[in-house]
Amino acid sequence: MPKILKLVVWLIGLFLLIILIQYPMQNSMDSWQTWSLPLAGKTIVIDPGHGGVDGGAEASDDTQEKEITLTVSNMLKDYLQQAGAVVYLTREGDYDLAQDDTKGLSRRKTEDIQNRVAFIKEKEADLFLSIHLNALPDRRWKGAQTFFHPGREENEQLAKAIQNEIRRNLENTNREALAIQQVFLLKYAEATGALVEIGFLSNEEEKELLKSTSYQQKMAASIYEGILQHETNQAANR
């Protein structure tokens, strides 16, 4: 056999050997990365409250709820994606989910919330979180709090896990997770979910915290850790 032909055969053999060695190693690495991520295989919808013409709660300096909910939701999205989850936001900018030609704030809000429920169902979410802020005429009130629809055990467990992490990490609230009947999203979205009111814009001290990037990051991290704790508890009970 001519030397050049032997060299070609040898190179082809070497190339095939490298492929055969690398293929199972690559598959093994992909499998290891997938199984090592705590939220791999989970689809999670984050719902930043309000948007567009509906600014939500408003602070004394005109800071609007819709701005902070979107910022915190994006931070939470980053945490969840790094843990392996597929994450969708009901909105990614300053808009609501009503049709462009829907007139009147009340009609837009009704259509908006119905479309948020439909979005959660369409994405076949395993979990959803709706992020909001509070405001009351009495400016004494402060503290983040989670809510769940009554009679749904897993929703209650999720809300409590998140509330526990908020209390532990931020150390500025003694509030507990509460059942609430009147929230349309919690009632009609079929996936496991919770509403997180991350604080009061009407409280001057908490307003400044809620506007702070570092505090927003801590809040997002606390919600994320609550989700992880919930998933760990669910896996242990299966």
Side-chain angles (χ1 to χ4, degrees):
M1 182 182 293
K3 289 184 178 180
I4 187 66
L5 183 57
K6 288 183 180 180
L7 179 61
V8 170
V9 171
W10 182 82
L11 287 173
I12 292 173
L14 178 62
F15 178 71
L16 291 173
L17 180 62
I18 291 171
I19 292 176
L20 289 172
I21 291 172
Q22 285 188 340
Y23 182 77
M25 287 179 64
Q26 185 63 45
N27 277 359
S28 176
M29 181 62 71
D30 290 343
S31 177
W32 179 85
Q33 288 176 340
T34 299
W35 286 105
S36 67
L37 295 173
L39 296 177
K42 294 291 182 181
T43 299
I44 299 176
V45 170
I46 306 172
D47 174 48
H50 306 281
V53 295
D54 178 14
E58 192 168 297
S60 58
D61 63 358
D62 298 329
T63 299
Q64 292 188 311
E65 177 180 1
K66 66 178 182 178
E67 302 162 357
I68 298 176
T69 59
L70 184 58
T71 300
V72 173
S73 293
N74 276 309
M75 292 174 175
L76 177 58
K77 178 182 179 180
D78 288 342
Y79 282 118
L80 294 171
Q81 285 182 329
Q82 289 171 20
V86 176
V87 185
Y88 300 98
L89 269 62
T90 55
R91 67 178 180 94
E92 297 184 351
D94 184 14
Y95 53 85
D96 61 16
L97 272 66
Q99 297 297 316
D100 291 340
D101 59 354
T102 300
K103 305 299 182 183
L105 182 58
S106 178
R107 289 181 62 192
R108 290 196 68 85
K109 290 180 74 169
T110 298
E111 188 174 313
D112 170 72
I113 196 64
Q114 290 173 341
N115 285 338
R116 290 175 195 250
V117 171
F119 184 94
I120 293 168
K121 292 181 179 179
E122 174 193 328
K123 299 303 181 185
E124 298 181 346
D126 297 294
L127 296 174
F128 75 88
L129 284 302
S130 189
I131 310 299
H132 284 259
L133 282 75
N134 234 323
L136 290 173
D138 188 339
R139 298 190 175 191
R140 294 176 301 169
W141 299 108
K142 63 180 182 177
Q145 189 164 26
T146 58
F147 297 88
F148 59 92
H149 192 76
R152 298 180 185 175
E153 183 178 354
E154 193 168 344
N155 292 29
E156 180 177 354
Q157 291 170 353
L158 174 62
K160 287 182 175 179
I162 294 171
Q163 187 69 35
N164 288 342
E165 291 303 312
I166 289 173
R167 291 175 60 173
R168 183 178 68 85
N169 291 329
L170 301 180
E171 299 182 327
N172 62 0
T173 181
N174 291 319
R175 293 178 178 273
E176 297 182 355
L178 288 180
I180 189 168
Q181 288 269 9
Q182 299 88 353
V183 177
F184 186 92
L185 194 71
L186 294 180
K187 184 175 182 178
Y188 291 103
E190 296 173 359
T192 299
L195 165 67
V196 189
E197 296 273 3
I198 64 174
F200 284 78
L201 280 176
S202 49
N203 181 278
E204 290 300 311
E205 178 186 358
E206 193 157 62
K207 174 194 71 176
E208 294 304 319
L209 288 174
L210 290 165
K211 290 164 57 179
S212 161
T213 299
S214 61
Y215 189 80
Q216 292 169 352
Q217 201 81 54
K218 289 177 183 176
M219 183 63 71
S222 298
I223 297 170
Y224 162 70
E225 289 174 9
I227 294 170
L228 284 185
Q229 186 59 55
H230 171 264
E231 289 302 300
T232 300
N233 293 341
Q234 291 299 308
N237 292 330
R238 290 191 184 107

